[in-house]
Amino acid sequence: MLQELSIRNFAIIEELHVSLEKGLTVLTGETGAGKSIIIDAVHLLVGGRGSSEFVRHGEKKAEIEGMFQIDSPNHACLQKAQEFGIEAEEETIIIRREISVSGKSVCRINGKLVTIAILREIGSTLVDIHGQHEHQELMDASRHLRLLDHFGGTEVLAAKESYADVYKRYEQTAKALSQLSENEQQMAHRLDLLQFQLSEIQKADLQLHEDEELMEEKRKLSNFEKLYESVQNAANALQGEGRGLDWIGLAMAQLEAAAEIDESYKAAYEAVSESFYVLEDAARHAGSALDSLEFDPNRLNIIEARLNEINQLKRKYGSSIEEILEYGAKIEEEIDTLTNRETHIEKLSNELSAYEKDLLLEGQQLSQLRRKTAEKLTDAIHQELKQLYMDKTVFRIQFEAFTEKEGLRSKLFKRDGLDEVEFYISTNPGEPVKPLSKVASGGELSRIMLAMKTIFSEHQGITSIIFDEVDTGVSGRVAQAIGEKIYEVAVHSQVLCISHLPQVAAMADTHLYISKMMKAGRTKTVVEPLENQEKIREIGRMISGVEMTDLTKQHAKELLDLAASLKKK
């Protein structure tokens, strides 16, 4: 859920910090107080289109920050965050967005800079905003199948996963067969190219780590003069009359004599003695090394030529010898496949045919489960619509499935199964059902959306749902029913609702009053949580307008008592 929301220098909001609770939070207040501006800020926070017009006049940038608490470690939001390399400790997501007067937008999720596309992808799993003319997921026909599957629960999802496993193997085999069945002339050209490449790699007779060893040898040969001079000087400094070893040998003899007189010099004698023999060994090694050091200019040319050959192969086939050899092994297999093309085509065709039979069985089983689920979902939605006084409305789930007679098998099998699904509806008796996306009546659409949200809110996994004046155009008993439905949705998801209906406000778990005030000649938006008596006054204002009478207060209190009674049920 959205736990904390901070807004700064956004439209008429100077600075606002709101702590939000679970359940239903209703935002009320006079028109123009800034209710919808708060929703606009949340919309931007989860990836909505930004504009410099949102920046408060006279300020350099607008800042919006929200902290979301995720209830489940398996939530889609956390999975997407992991996919994009975003750490989410204690299952918390903090989103921050800044919009400058130049229109530049900066987005961060848990401190990491992200693109608008990533913000939008993660934000879509956190918040679902519904307005009078903004319907999002339920109005998108391409998402109806996923909603149906989630409503079907584990049985449908398990069948879908089983189908997907077979489809993945089918797709890989179909792709391999398609590549192998390409134009014969193209295959011949491909075979010639691969044989040339393999021949080039094999002739090079590459050895693992050969380039590293050659580079080390090249370094020694390139610095031969300096190396020879250094070893020679070291050997001369140690060996010969009056050189290092002579003086250390003299010191050793003197300390030995001293130690015979006073044992306290014995440790010094042993240390010098040990050093003498170590240095004597080093001097002998340096001397023999000088004899073996030999400069061969021809060898340096050979190394240069070999390294050049290896580098040319790296440019063509891989960044290392290991990658080149791996590429060689890979194209050797492909050469075998192309050389024995007919045999491989026959083998792949048989495999594809077997996968098609499996897919057809898996797909038909999945389709049967979906159709049973569709019947249950249809009944559930009709029941919800009846409670919203739309008992004459007809809801239907239309299935479209290709059969083998209707065309190519490629049309028959799809990633999600054999079915294409879309929600259809008719709100007037005698009228044919039409796609849900074509329904345009505001009041009816609001109720349809709420009916579906009541059912789908527990299946979508969205942490927060926002209704922005979806109750426009209704009143009386329909308004009461809408209030109850919005509360039902809030049982499964945190709900924020802007409303002008007292029946909806009475159902709130948390009631926030939005007002505006003048400060230093500037308009400022203020958010105030309402308690019992304040709720009565505000609901009374929503019932009667400006003038508040005892009867209005009594009516407001009755609405709150009725809401409390309904919540207990």
Side-chain angles (χ1 to χ4, degrees), residues 147-164:
L147 288 172
L148 177 67
D149 289 345
H150 277 280
F151 181 79
T154 53
E155 189 178 17
V156 172
L157 293 175
K160 187 176 180 180
E161 190 175 341
S162 180
Y163 174 91

Side-chain angles (χ1 to χ4, degrees), residues 230-249 276-291:
S230 298
V231 175
Q232 188 178 51
N233 289 339
N236 290 341
L238 290 170
Q239 292 176 321
E241 192 174 341
R243 300 298 174 91
L245 279 173
D246 268 4
W247 287 104
I248 294 170
F276 176 81
Y277 293 118
V278 169
L279 288 170
E280 192 176 43
D281 250 8
R284 194 163 31 251
H285 175 72
S288 61
L290 281 172
D291 296 335

Side-chain angles (χ1 to χ4, degrees), residues 250-268:
L250 178 61
M252 182 175 67
Q254 295 300 320
L255 283 169
E256 185 179 19
E260 288 174 357
I261 299 168
D262 183 349
E263 284 195 357
S264 65
Y265 292 99
K266 188 175 181 182

Side-chain angles (χ1 to χ4, degrees), residues 452-461 465 488-489 492-493:
M452 300 182 80
K453 268 295 171 190
T454 306
I455 295 168
F456 287 126
S457 59
E458 60 182 303
H459 298 283
Q460 286 177 287
I465 298 171
E488 281 185 49
V489 175
H492 303 289
S493 300

Side-chain angles (χ1 to χ4, degrees), residues 543-562:
I543 293 170
S544 64
V546 179
E547 189 175 344
M548 183 74 64
T549 65
D550 290 339
L551 186 61
T552 305
K553 288 180 182 179
Q554 185 181 341
H555 190 186
K557 189 175 183 308
E558 285 175 357
L559 270 179
L560 285 166
D561 291 341
L562 174 63

Side-chain angles (χ1 to χ4, degrees), residues 24-29 35 471 479-480 482-484 486-487 497-513 530-532 534-543 556 559-564 567:
L24 173 58
T25 297
V26 173
L27 287 70
T28 66
K35 299 185 296 297
D471 50 21
Q480 181 61 44
I482 282 180
E484 292 172 26
I486 290 176
Y487 183 78
C497 178
I498 293 178
S499 180
H500 292 288
L501 292 178
Q503 294 92 333
V504 174
M507 295 297 296
D509 296 312
T510 304
H511 190 152
L512 300 178
Y513 179 67
L530 301 184
E531 298 302 331
N532 293 333
E534 295 164 331
K535 283 183 182 180
I536 292 172
R537 280 197 297 272
E538 172 58 9
I539 291 173
R541 182 196 65 78
M542 296 172 76
I543 293 170
L559 270 179
L560 285 166
D561 291 341
L562 174 63
K567 287 180 186 180

Side-chain angles (χ1 to χ4, degrees), residues 109 233 335 371 402:
I109 300 178
N233 289 339
I335 287 169
R371 289 173 189 274
F402 291 101

